[in-house]
Amino acid sequence: TTINTKMKMNLLSIFLASILLSAAAYTAPNSIAGGQAARVAAAGEGNRRAFLSSIANVAIASTSIIAGNPNRAVAAAEDPTVQEDVYFGVGCFWHIQHEIVLAERNLLGRKDNELTSVTGYAGGMKTDGEGRVCYHNFQSIADYGKFGHGEVVGVTIPSSAIGDFAVEYFKLFGDDGERVDPQDKGGEYRSLLGLPGGRSNRMFEQVETAAADRGMMLVDGKGNDPDTLGKRLVYVMDSNKFPFHQAEVYHQYHNDFLSPAYGKEYNDLADAALDDGRIKITQCPDRV
């Protein structure tokens, strides 16, 4: 197919950027890791020519790859809104999932088959030998509490929406900074939020603002953290280090005991999500 003018300009930008970045790496050898910097600094004129030749080869190869996938070329050049997997926890995850579903609908205009909110566990430092993290069960299989995890809701959203979702999340705390179900006590119900990179996430400043507006303190989570009840704080987790583990199907789109029933239409979202693959069977004790 013919690549349009805008796409050609994008490809040219990528090509030039690859050359400039590579040249910058050469002229500033300190930016090259370890002993490689010293080797580049000591290279003679012949090595310089070989280096510049390799730049051209890399740039041509990169352009060829991108040209073979025009959509990827446009995406790379225009930097569209990146989708990020984040999670939020504050007390029982049944109530939190319902509120995050409302946020997906209201903030992103998502339809039922586009919802990504999923209950799960995070913040612990282990799984069982099969990679499972499970709810409390009579078989004592991979108990999330014993593994140091808390109840959370994972959701996939544009990075540009993280701040807006943080605002909604901090609204779930009362004016006294407490969760709506303080009768549930223990690390399983602690307040935590997970972002790729934790504090280094590029949207973290917006999360800080949302927390400050509600008088909440953000503290770096270390894993297996204790309950936050009465402390007015939320643990910040790097979700790359403390990943999300999906909860059982039973716990998806479940009614919350503290609120009126959400209704059959809401509850049926679990089966719909299971059917189309948005939630999986976890191999934990479950209703399926």
Side-chain angles (χ1 to χ4, degrees):
T1 58
T2 301
I3 302 177
N4 60 33
T5 301
K6 183 177 181 181
M7 189 175 296
K8 289 180 180 178
M9 293 301 295
N10 289 332
L11 292 174
L12 180 60
S13 297
I14 295 170
F15 179 84
L16 293 175
S18 67
I19 293 176
L20 291 173
L21 287 172
S22 299
Y26 181 80
T27 56
N30 287 337
S31 66
I32 303 176
Q36 186 181 356
R39 289 195 295 274
V40 172
E45 185 62 27
N47 285 343
R48 181 178 292 110
R49 285 195 295 269
F51 180 75
L52 293 175
S53 177
S54 70
I55 294 175
N57 289 335
V58 169
I60 291 170
S62 300
T63 305
S64 298
I65 292 171
I66 294 170
N69 190 337
N71 290 332
R72 182 175 298 174
V74 173
E78 295 183 353
D79 188 24
T81 302
V82 176
Q83 297 285 322
E84 297 202 69
D85 295 324
V86 302
Y87 56 76
F88 301 97
V90 48
C92 176
F93 50 19
W94 292 344
H95 172 67
I96 306 308
Q97 183 177 33
H98 180 262
E99 300 308 302
I100 299 298
V101 164
L102 292 181
E104 285 194 87
R105 289 170 171 167
N106 296 334
L107 297 177
L108 303 177
R110 287 178 174 169
K111 300 183 173 70
D112 287 351
N113 65 349
E114 298 171 327
L115 296 172
T116 64
S117 298
V118 180
T119 58
Y121 315 105
M125 301 179 71
K126 63 182 296 188
T127 66
D128 75 352
E130 299 179 31
R132 294 178 297 184
V133 178
C134 306
Y135 195 72
H136 308 305
N137 58 85
F138 291 117
Q139 297 96 316
S140 296
I141 296 174
D143 188 300
Y144 81 105
K146 294 179 180 178
F147 285 174
H149 294 278
E151 296 188 10
V152 298
V153 173
V155 62
T156 302
I157 56 176
S159 58
S160 58
I162 288 176
D164 291 334
F165 272 75
V167 169
E168 297 305 312
Y169 168 66
F170 286 107
K171 288 179 182 178
L172 300 177
F173 295 83
D175 290 340
D176 58 357
E178 295 296 350
R179 54 184 180 251
V180 297
D181 51 357
Q183 75 280 357
D184 290 331
K185 295 180 174 62
E188 298 98 317
Y189 304 104
R190 64 188 183 269
S191 302
L192 69 166
L193 63 87
L195 304 170
R199 285 181 181 270
S200 67
N201 187 283
R202 60 178 178 165
M203 303 304 293
F204 184 71
E205 185 176 345
Q206 295 188 22
V207 176
E208 281 188 307
T209 298
D213 287 346
R214 295 289 292 166
M216 301 297 293
M217 179 171 56
L218 299 178
V219 175
D220 289 333
K222 298 179 180 179
N224 295 12
D225 299 296
D227 199 357
T228 53
L229 191 65
K231 299 178 181 178
R232 208 177 183 107
L233 68 82
V234 174
Y235 295 114
V236 177
M237 314 302 296
D238 179 350
S239 58
N240 296 325
K241 297 179 180 177
F242 300 95
F244 173 84
H245 303 274
Q246 184 207 296
E248 299 80 348
V249 176
Y250 173 83
H251 292 293
Q252 307 300 333
Y253 304 97
H254 198 289
N255 290 327
D256 174 31
F257 290 141
L258 296 178
S259 308
Y262 298 132
K264 185 177 184 300
E265 183 177 355
Y266 176 80
N267 303 145
D268 287 346
L269 292 173
D271 288 332
L274 180 62
D275 289 343
D276 65 21
R278 282 175 290 133
I279 60 174
K280 310 291 184 183
I281 295 175
T282 64
Q283 306 305 320
C284 292
D286 202 351
R287 69 173 176 85
V288 293

